[in-house]
Amino acid sequence: MPDAQELLHQIQHELAPIEARLRYHPYLVALEQGQVPKERLSVFVGEQHATIESDLRSLATLVARADSPHSRRLFLSILPGEDTAFSALQTLALALGLNESWLQTYEPIPE
């Protein structure tokens, strides 16, 4: 059985091709080159805003219903990341000229 360090290296090695595909995805390359139109970025912001708000509501429910302190701590530990993502998204929204009213009335694209 591998030790923790070996296991970490094995996982990193196995995930390297996926990481490369994500890092050099055409959308990210176009974004870095300033080739993504504002309309597409606005859709991204709207979708992410709806997702993060839903995630926060779900986390609140999970925290309230957690049967053990360990479970509660696990769910609470996720909140700072969601808050950071939400703050960064608000910054992007403002940079795109999207206000709170636009974010609240945005209708997510059905799956």
Side-chain angles (χ1 to χ4, degrees), residues 16-67:
I18 296 170
E19 181 183 355
R21 285 181 35 217
L22 291 172
R23 186 178 309 264
Y24 300 107
H25 190 279
Y27 182 83
L28 293 179
V29 171
L31 185 62
E32 288 176 346
Q33 295 173 351
Q35 297 175 346
V36 177
K38 179 184 173 189
E39 296 75 29
R40 284 186 61 197
L41 287 174
S42 297
V43 169
F44 171 80
V45 169
E47 293 293 319
Q48 287 301 304
H49 186 269
T51 298
I52 293 171
E53 282 200 331
S54 175
D55 289 350
L56 289 171
R57 284 190 298 275
S58 296
L59 280 169
T61 300
L62 290 168
V63 168
R65 292 182 178 175
D67 290 335

Side-chain angles (χ1 to χ4, degrees), residues 82-95:
E82 290 290 326
D83 186 53
T84 299
F86 198 72
S87 294
L89 193 65
Q90 296 287 54
T91 301
L92 179 57
L94 289 174

